[in-house]
Amino acid sequence: MDVLVIGRNCLDHIAVAERLPAENTKAPMVSHHMEGGGQGGSSACAIARLGGKVSLVGKVGDDSAGEFCRRRLESFGVDCELLETVAGRATAIAHIWVTAGNGNRTILYAPSDLPPIEESTKLAEMCRRTTAILLDPEVTYLAPFLAGLGRGRGRLIYDAERWRPGMDAMMAAADLFVPTAEFLDDPELGITKGSWPERLNALRRRVGGRLVVTRGEEGAYYFEGRALMQISAPEVAVADTTGAGDVFHGALALAMSRQAPMIEAVKLAVAAASLSCRGYGGRGGLADGDGARALA
């Protein structure tokens, strides 16, 4: 396996409208789409579409939403042997409103009712056998367990969405700590003041591995030594930005599994994430490896 992804799956209902209606009003939809979602699931699909061999560790309920999510993952070529169907539980659902014309989205999601992914001998063995491990925010609590398996060059990549319990342990454990720009605004982090480069440097000093930060249309930032580098996002026709961050993490993990230099890995991730915005949902606009490399 190139990448072992551990994380969340859900079913996304996507409504496209000319504008998001105000409270106590209504507006017509332009279109409606149903797609598999969740950070882990969408990252895994991106890796598979880019040509990587990927296995997904996660859980879905024994309902129609769970069956749909599994079918969609398998249709992309994701190995779902370790995707557990939990009897008597529901798969999480998200409702996404997309503004036609600019691709901005508003999300309401159901917190997962599924049991957490357990530490196990089988999971440890899978982690040892794969080249890179991508963790989504839902499994932050696994940091101590994964740190015990040892770090390697770009081996453990963590998608930091927001501050969660156990974040300090994950900041220490990850080879690549990859938050969004909004993560730096969280008061729990304690670095909300100062210029953008100053705040990035403050966060860089707190992580055990390397830091990569995504910032929407500005692309992504990372460090070469102490030098701050930026890879700008290319211009694409944007339909929906849902899942672009998940695609970024997936592409980055695949590149690191193949020991790409950091500049090439970030360029590929920015290109793949940008191209994913061409379609609706986190998987509607996914590019293959040739398409992403051509834009990188």
Side-chain angles (χ1 to χ4, degrees), residues 80-106:
C80 295
E81 180 183 354
L82 296 179
L83 179 64
E84 179 186 353
T85 298
V86 182
R89 295 293 184 92
T91 304
I93 293 176
H95 294 274
I96 303 171
W97 288 265
V98 177
T99 304
N102 62 22
N104 292 337
R105 80 282 192 274
T106 301

Side-chain angles (χ1 to χ4, degrees), residues 33 42 71 82 86 103 109 115 123 136 156 202 216 238 255 259 276 288:
H33 310 265
S42 293
R71 288 198 306 270
L82 296 179
V86 182
Y109 66 92
L123 179 57
D136 84 8
L156 183 60
V238 175
Q259 298 187 351
S276 75
D288 60 18

Side-chain angles (χ1 to χ4, degrees), residues 143-167:
F145 170 72
L146 294 165
L149 300 176
R151 283 198 347 207
R153 180 171 177 260
R155 174 173 166 75
L156 183 60
I157 300 100
Y158 173 68
D159 168 3
E161 179 185 45
R162 57 181 172 80
W163 188 273
R164 296 168 185 258
M167 188 61 70

Side-chain angles (χ1 to χ4, degrees), residues 92-157:
I93 293 176
H95 294 274
I96 303 171
W97 288 265
V98 177
T99 304
N102 62 22
N104 292 337
R105 80 282 192 274
T106 301
I107 302 175
L108 286 176
Y109 66 92
S112 178
D113 184 44
L114 297 166
I117 296 169
E118 303 87 359
E119 302 174 8
S120 68
T121 302
K122 184 174 183 180
L123 179 57
E125 181 60 25
M126 286 293 296
C127 290
R128 293 188 183 98
R129 287 168 48 194
T130 194
T131 309
I133 306 162
L134 174 59
L135 310 172
D136 84 8
E138 288 283 309
V139 294
T140 305
Y141 58 87
L142 288 176
F145 170 72
L146 294 165
L149 300 176
R151 283 198 347 207
R153 180 171 177 260
R155 174 173 166 75
L156 183 60
I157 300 100

Side-chain angles (χ1 to χ4, degrees), residues 131-132 153-155 157 176 210 251-262 265:
T131 309
R153 180 171 177 260
R155 174 173 166 75
I157 300 100
L176 266 70
R210 299 191 67 170
L252 185 68
L254 178 61
M256 297 308 295
S257 78
R258 296 176 174 177
Q259 298 187 351
M262 181 63 75

